[in-house]
Amino acid sequence: MKIAERWFEEYEVGESRTTVGRTITEADIVLHAGQTGDFFPHHLDAEWMATQPAGQRIAHGTLILSVAVGMTAGDINPRSMSYGYDKIRFIKPVFIGDTITVTAAITEKSDHKRTPETHGYVHELVSVTNQRAETVLVLTHLYLVDKRGPA
């Protein structure tokens, strides 16, 4: 990881990046349950889940969201910060042993409403797929990015 300064004007709609895979483990699920207090049987009770339509334990959606966004975190840009997430959807379950891959694509740029001369938003569509190429989660990651301003 390194520090790489990048201004609003340097982002291009349509550019994208794809991560390497990461396998979701039982340890991931147990740790996330302890951190969040979400001990629902959907995540922790193998016997009960064997009687349910999914047939096996599923990872917390918030775990997959956290892991996926972390997988896209590369260089540190001192000109940008995360402004939040929109349109989060948990589309398919992720099971223990599934390997996820993340693609992040810039879909839109817009001016900041109060300070359009100095800041803008970069909208990045984050798509998470499993080893079967099924989309399991999507969201839009919003970045607040500094503009160079007039020269």
Side-chain angles (χ1 to χ4, degrees):
M1 188 176 295
K2 67 179 191 273
I3 295 176
E5 193 170 80
R6 190 170 184 199
W7 299 85
F8 178 81
E9 294 82 357
E10 298 171 310
Y11 289 89
E12 297 291 334
V13 172
E15 69 180 66
S16 69
R17 54 202 166 107
T18 300
T19 70
V20 296
R22 185 184 184 290
T23 302
I24 301 302
T25 67
E26 182 174 13
D28 292 325
I29 292 172
V30 171
L31 182 62
H32 191 75
Q35 291 172 327
T36 62
D38 182 349
F39 296 101
F40 269 46
H42 306 78
H43 315 298
L44 299 174
D45 188 336
E47 294 302 316
W48 184 75
M49 279 305 287
T51 69
Q52 300 302 307
Q56 58 184 308
R57 289 175 287 171
I58 59 175
H60 305 77
T62 52
L63 166 64
I64 301 308
L65 185 157
S66 299
V67 169
V69 170
M71 291 169 69
T72 67
D75 296 338
I76 298 167
N77 181 1
R79 298 290 169 196
S80 173
M81 62 176 282
S82 178
Y83 186 70
Y85 307 95
D86 280 348
K87 303 173 187 170
I88 301 166
R89 298 293 179 269
F90 306 127
I91 297 170
K92 285 190 171 274
V94 174
F95 302 107
I96 295 169
D98 279 357
T99 299
I100 61 171
T101 304
V102 182
T103 298
I106 305 298
T107 57
E108 182 181 342
K109 293 169 58 178
S110 59
D111 290 331
H112 187 275
K113 289 183 181 171
R114 287 182 283 141
T115 58
E117 60 284 338
T118 58
H119 295 91
Y121 296 108
V122 173
H123 303 235
E124 186 176 64
L125 176 63
V126 175
S127 302
V128 183
T129 56
N130 62 20
Q131 70 278 9
R132 294 176 294 280
E134 299 168 325
T135 301
V136 298
L137 182 148
V138 293
L139 61 90
T140 300
H141 192 172
L142 300 172
Y143 296 94
L144 180 62
V145 185
D146 292 343
K147 291 184 175 179
R148 286 187 187 276

